[in-house]
Amino acid sequence: MIKKITSSQNPFVKSLIQLKDKSRTRKNTGMFLIEGKRELSLAIRGGYKIKTLLFNPDLFSEAEALSFQHYQINIIEITSEVFQKIAHRGTTEGVLAIAEIKPHTLDTIEFKTDSPLILVAEAPEKPGNIGALLRTADAAAVDAVIITNPKTDLYNPNIVRSSVGCLFTNQIATGTTQEVISFLQKHQVSIFCAALQTSELYTDQDFTQSCAIIVGTEDEGLSDDWLQHSTKNIVIPMQGEIDSMNVSVAAGILIFEAKRQRNFK
């Protein structure tokens, strides 16, 4: 028998709303919410442990829900009213899941090649930008994404949504700027900082060896710590009136130049 929840006042439903809305709840429970078919599929492929699946039979069939039984997942049917209370997106596909948060310490990163390509973002604030960076990283199949001095937790529903599931497809770690610099130096990874100061054209660099491309915020750029430890500062030439662009766009240009040099391998 599939358990059913019909009231939005159910204590379990209220706990899920807290899980969606509160970073502290996610941290304390070690759980987060996934929403949508593609996101759920990518999370499973990414090795995430799914604890509970909730579905609205008006949008997601019972047969689809039962197909997840072999993952040893609890399955709960919920009404449209309950679903709308829990769901983050206005339009969705009728399926939610509770999953375990993964650790994202630097020591979880495993390099599968001798010349890894890494994207590092320092202190990104906007979940939408983080999601876009993760989509870029997935599109280029970089070896790892590292976020230094994070301003929001990775399982913020806006990051899950804006990354369209690429939160689950990338190898991601977080740490302080100094921790990440030490990590890169330990692994003999060249540091290319996107910066205006004493910079060289990004197209003049050799990205075929182990390297990390470091991007900062659009307002403040990179901290002095990065610039002091930079192998090279690199710049994308601006031909308009402004001297910067969206961080995810800049990262995309730099990462795909590196991939071009590596023959997209």
Side-chain angles (χ1 to χ4, degrees):
M1 292 289 292
I2 294 178
K3 181 179 178 180
K4 297 183 180 181
I5 296 178
T6 60
S7 172
S8 59
Q9 299 304 309
N10 182 291
F12 180 63
V13 172
K14 291 183 177 181
S15 73
L16 295 184
I17 294 170
Q18 289 291 308
L19 197 62
K20 175 185 70 172
D21 294 340
K22 302 294 185 181
S23 177
R24 181 180 297 178
T25 302
R26 293 190 289 273
K27 181 178 179 179
N28 290 342
T29 62
M31 301 289 176
F32 73 105
L33 285 179
I34 301 170
E35 186 174 336
K37 294 179 183 179
R38 175 170 55 182
E39 289 82 352
L40 177 57
S41 174
L42 290 174
I44 291 172
R45 284 166 53 190
Y48 279 80
K49 175 65 176 177
I50 310 300
K51 306 295 286 185
T52 301
L53 182 141
L54 303 102
F55 74 100
N56 173 10
D58 294 336
L59 300 169
F60 192 85
S61 72
E62 182 175 318
E64 287 180 287
L66 290 174
S67 70
F68 288 89
Q69 278 185 321
H70 67 281
Y71 293 112
Q72 305 300 309
I73 297 173
N74 296 320
I75 298 174
I76 300 174
E77 179 183 321
I78 54 177
T79 62
S80 295
E81 177 193 4
V82 171
F83 186 82
Q84 290 304 319
K85 280 284 187 181
I86 305 171
H88 178 69
R89 305 204 302 251
T91 57
T92 190
E93 299 160 310
V95 61
L96 296 156
I98 306 168
E100 289 184 4
I101 287 172
K102 278 188 175 184
H104 292 286
T105 53
L106 290 166
D107 59 12
T108 63
I109 292 180
E110 296 180 0
F111 295 129
K112 298 178 181 178
T113 69
D114 294 330
S115 302
L117 174 61
I118 302 164
L119 174 61
V120 179
E122 184 179 40
E125 294 187 47
K126 298 176 182 176
N129 278 344
I130 297 171
L133 287 167
L134 294 175
R135 291 180 70 175
T136 297
D138 176 88
V142 303
D143 293 279
V145 179
I146 302 176
I147 298 176
T148 72
N149 310 328
K151 299 294 183 68
T152 183
D153 77 274
L154 285 174
Y155 297 96
N156 180 307
N158 285 313
I159 294 178
V160 179
R161 178 186 60 79
S162 61
S163 77
V164 292
C166 292
L167 172 64
F168 312 126
T169 64
N170 288 288
Q171 190 170 206
I172 306 170
T174 63
T176 67
T177 290
Q178 280 299 333
E179 287 171 344
V180 176
I181 289 171
S182 296
F183 173 83
L184 296 175
Q185 291 175 332
K186 174 185 175 183
H187 291 277
Q188 299 180 316
V189 176
S190 296
I191 296 172
F192 290 93
C193 292
L196 298 176
Q197 304 96 316
T198 59
S199 300
E200 300 179 11
L201 283 175
Y202 75 102
T203 49
D204 292 342
Q205 311 310 313
D206 179 5
F207 296 121
T208 60
Q209 303 304 311
S210 298
C211 63
I213 292 173
I214 322 297
V215 294
T217 63
E218 295 159 46
D219 294 336
E220 299 182 9
L222 290 170
S223 64
D224 288 341
D225 282 341
W226 279 113
L227 302 180
Q228 290 168 9
H229 292 88
S230 176
T231 305
K232 284 280 183 70
N233 291 350
I234 55 175
V235 66
I236 300 168
M238 300 285 107
Q239 297 184 312
E241 298 298 324
I242 62 172
D243 62 3
S244 67
M245 64 177 66
N246 177 275
V247 63
S248 62
V249 175
I253 292 170
L254 299 173
I255 286 291
F256 273 93
E257 170 60 17
K259 293 294 290 190
R260 183 193 68 80
Q261 292 185 16
R262 294 164 177 241
N263 296 316
F264 297 97
K265 294 180 180 178

